[in-house]
Amino acid sequence: MPLLVTGSIGIDTVTTPFGMSENCIGGSAVYFSMAASFFAPVRLVGVVGPDCPFNLSEVFSGRDVDLRGLERRSTSKTFRWKGSYHDTMEEAITEAVQLNVLAEAPPMVPEEFKDSGHIFLANTEPRLQLQLLEQISNPSFVAADTMNFYIEGRLDNLKKLLQRIDCLVLNETEARMLSGERNIRISAGAILGMGPKILVIKRGRTGSLLCNSDGRMFLLSAYPANVIKDPTGAGDSFAGGFLGYIAQEQKTDFETLKTAVAYGTVVASFTISDFSLSGLQSITRDDIEQRLGELRQLTAF
Amino acid sequence: MPLLVTGSIGIDTVTTPFGMSENCIGGSAVYFSMAASFFAPVRLVGVVGPDCPFNLSEVFSGRDVDLRGLERRSTSKTFRWKGSYHDTMEEAITEAVQLNVLAEAPPMVPEEFKDSGHIFLANTEPRLQLQLLEQISNPSFVAADTMNFYIEGRLDNLKKLLQRIDCLVLNETEARMLSGERNIRISAGAILGMGPKILVIKRGRTGSLLCNSDGRMFLLSAYPANVIKDPTGAGDSFAGGFLGYIAQEQKTDFETLKTAVAYGTVVASFTISDFSLSGLQSITRDDIEQRLGELRQLTAF
């Protein structure tokens, strides 16, 4: 069953200790779609301006990514982000951001996409996430991401969103901010109390934590990649692998969710191995399966 | 078979967001011995001054910790450390340190301890670690810890030590410093190239990495403790659980080492649940077994 994603399509300029990638393709919906397409058909909903230098049909060539939800808004400009990573590359430093079209009305979900079952609302203003969700007739599983800016500035809307989704995916700093709790276990419990039945906390090089409202919990280490060149898109790729596997399996029991977290982890480890989408463009599902087996072996005791 | 530890016995004053513990017992040999005593008989070698306010026989009452290697040096003063932890308590801020007796000649290993098979050389000047090791007749398994100060200032001696030990235990920042490599996997390979057959990298809340010179690797997440009041002693308690289990099993195959890392992880999670030794004094081996089972379940997929 197709998996629908709403999120950004961006023009990124990224500097890391391994080099610079100028005006390359980025954005949450792009990383998510590429990652999820290893597992399930993807429907992308996003908007760019006429300045967008990328041909998305070419970018997703050979992948089952339906671009009928891609809007080219002639009066707008494409989202741009310029950032850098230093030392251990754990934190992105934003040097410049131009929201451009992301600050306007969200794109419409096309009629043909409204029967989508699995939905990922990549991070944007929570009110917009709700508006996008309301366009879907009868979703079976809805996950969303958020970020510090909306936790601090749009908490009321975010709390409404949390009542409407099945699963929240966010990073550890955001989880602390949202819950007001330093301890990850207590923080997770507090967030589950806000509505979602399932919570995934992305912890960077620490790995990830999955938990649900029945008190189940799962901890997974990050894959120890030999090569980490550019962490951009790791979180969205993780979400793409995670949701992609859930859409493939059409199940959300805890064992399936655990495996989905492992696939998300592995896909993200390929993303960070190179700049922009290169790490994901050069692999096959077999590479993912092989690394999943390795991760299983590395963590079993 | 008894497990011998050489290391510090200290008077600590620690402040965390959860309170302050003034002039409490601390030191690497103390935390290690308490942690290891759940698994195997321990022989402690360390030195204090006449100002030491602790009766170590009482501290280790009911534990199989042999104190015949404890020297009271009448002309010296006991090691003192004052530190604090803030925010997420990931890093200790040293506010004052008085090496005192630790800056003098090391204690002698008593004749009755010289047949010890398993040895842990807690961190001190690597030349002293070598001198202590040379007093043991025929050790079967030697592990050592080190720290930034000796990596920066005593690298020649440290490299000699690394040629003489079976296993190095150190934290991630120290591993980066020693190897000159940012990537943990490459860093681990570089350190194994310096001599030890086995390496354990302690990664704080991220967990730990075990690897050996045959290319085997194991990643374990930290136990997600509900209560973390004072991280002091976590690393030495980890080493105590790790070496204690190895001494109990009298084996060093990779499966045994993996389980040993898990025991180290669990014991450390009890240490940090309260100030000083309180977290370790209030538990039994059954509590450790129960939490090990929980950790196994939390990480299996």
Side-chain angles (χ1 to χ4, degrees), chain A residues 270-282:
Chain A
F270 284 110
T271 299
I272 65 181
S273 70
D274 208 341
F275 284 91
S276 188
L277 288 178
S278 303
L280 289 181
Q281 279 168 328
S282 59

Side-chain angles (χ1 to χ4, degrees), chain A residues 17 87-88 172 176 182-183 185-186 203 205-206 217-227 258 262 294 296 298-301, chain B residues 17 87-88 172 176 182-183 185-186 203 205-206 217-227 258 262 294 296 298-301:
Chain A
D87 300 324
T88 57
E172 191 162 10
R176 285 204 190 100
R182 270 189 290 245
N183 182 293
R185 202 163 185 166
I186 298 173
R203 310 174 78 191
R205 69 187 181 87
T206 295
M217 186 178 287
F218 173 55
L219 287 167
L220 185 62
S221 296
Y223 176 81
N226 258 324
V227 181
K258 281 161 66 170
E294 198 192 336
R296 208 184 279 279
L298 282 169
T299 57
F301 78 97
Chain B
D87 301 325
T88 57
E172 193 162 11
R176 286 204 190 99
R182 269 188 291 246
N183 182 291
R185 203 161 181 166
I186 298 173
R203 311 174 77 191
R205 68 188 182 87
T206 295
M217 187 179 284
F218 172 56
L219 288 167
L220 185 61
S221 296
Y223 176 81
N226 259 325
V227 180
K258 283 162 67 170
E294 197 192 337
R296 208 183 278 278
L298 282 169
T299 57
F301 78 97

Side-chain angles (χ1 to χ4, degrees), chain A residues 108-146:
Chain A
M108 296 301 290
V109 175
E111 209 55 47
E112 311 91 298
F113 284 8
K114 293 193 172 176
D115 63 348
S116 301
H118 293 75
I119 316 291
F120 183 67
L121 307 166
N123 107 63
T124 186
E125 214 286 321
R127 195 175 42 83
L128 301 188
Q129 289 173 303
L130 274 168
Q131 284 172 7
L132 284 156
L133 181 56
E134 277 157 10
Q135 297 177 59
I136 314 295
S137 336
N138 190 22
S140 59
F141 189 79
V142 181
D145 193 359
T146 191

Side-chain angles (χ1 to χ4, degrees), chain A residues 50-298:
Chain A
D51 61 332
C52 180
F54 314 115
N55 180 336
L56 271 81
S57 301
E58 276 177 22
V59 168
F60 293 112
S61 166
R63 315 266 173 173
D64 195 350
V65 178
D66 190 332
L67 295 172
R68 284 178 293 174
L70 177 67
E71 182 187 338
R72 291 189 173 272
R73 200 169 290 172
S74 59
T75 54
S76 307
K77 279 187 145 179
T78 306
F79 168 60
R80 282 179 185 265
W81 180 73
K82 186 178 180 184
S84 60
Y85 298 84
H86 304 273
D87 300 324
T88 57
M89 300 192 285
E90 277 171 77
E91 208 184 347
I93 311 292
T94 292
E95 290 166 5
V97 61
Q98 297 172 30
L99 285 178
N100 294 334
V101 72
L102 293 191
E104 304 171 9
M108 296 301 290
V109 175
E111 209 55 47
E112 311 91 298
F113 284 8
K114 293 193 172 176
D115 63 348
S116 301
H118 293 75
I119 316 291
F120 183 67
L121 307 166
N123 107 63
T124 186
E125 214 286 321
R127 195 175 42 83
L128 301 188
Q129 289 173 303
L130 274 168
Q131 284 172 7
L132 284 156
L133 181 56
E134 277 157 10
Q135 297 177 59
I136 314 295
S137 336
N138 190 22
S140 59
F141 189 79
V142 181
D145 193 359
T146 191
M147 68 184 290
N148 52 0
F149 184 73
Y150 306 118
I151 296 169
E152 283 171 338
R154 297 288 187 275
L155 192 57
D156 282 358
N157 291 340
L158 181 56
K159 286 196 168 170
K160 280 179 203 149
L161 178 72
L162 293 179
Q163 299 281 342
R164 296 284 305 278
I165 61 175
D166 300 287
C167 174
L168 180 67
V169 180
L170 79 180
N171 75 34
E172 191 162 10
T173 308
E174 292 158 358
R176 285 204 190 100
M177 198 181 278
L178 178 56
S179 62
E181 295 284 351
R182 270 189 290 245
N183 182 293
I184 192 162
R185 202 163 185 166
I186 298 173
S187 170
I191 294 170
L192 287 171
M194 297 176 189
K197 293 184 295 290
I198 299 159
L199 171 67
V200 181
I201 302 180
K202 299 173 289 184
R203 310 174 78 191
R205 69 187 181 87
T206 295
S208 51
L209 180 148
L210 162 73
C211 54
N212 72 8
S213 50
D214 297 333
R216 297 289 304 271
M217 186 178 287
F218 173 55
L219 287 167
L220 185 62
S221 296
Y223 176 81
N226 258 324
V227 181
I228 304 175
K229 283 190 181 166
D230 174 12
T232 310
D236 297 309
S237 302
F238 174 94
F242 175 70
L243 267 290
Y245 182 73
I246 291 170
Q248 174 195 300
E249 294 296 302
Q250 300 284 317
K251 290 190 292 188
T252 56
D253 61 283
F254 203 72
E255 289 307 311
T256 302
L257 295 176
K258 281 161 66 170
T259 308
V261 163
Y263 274 110
T265 299
V266 164
V267 173
S269 78
F270 284 110
T271 299
I272 65 181
S273 70
D274 208 341
F275 284 91
S276 188
L277 288 178
S278 303
L280 289 181
Q281 279 168 328
S282 59
I283 59 161
T284 64
R285 176 74 185 250
D286 280 352
D287 296 313
I288 293 172
E289 294 302 330
Q290 198 183 327
R291 190 167 286 187
L292 188 87
E294 198 192 336
L295 185 61
R296 208 184 279 279
Q297 204 169 32
L298 282 169

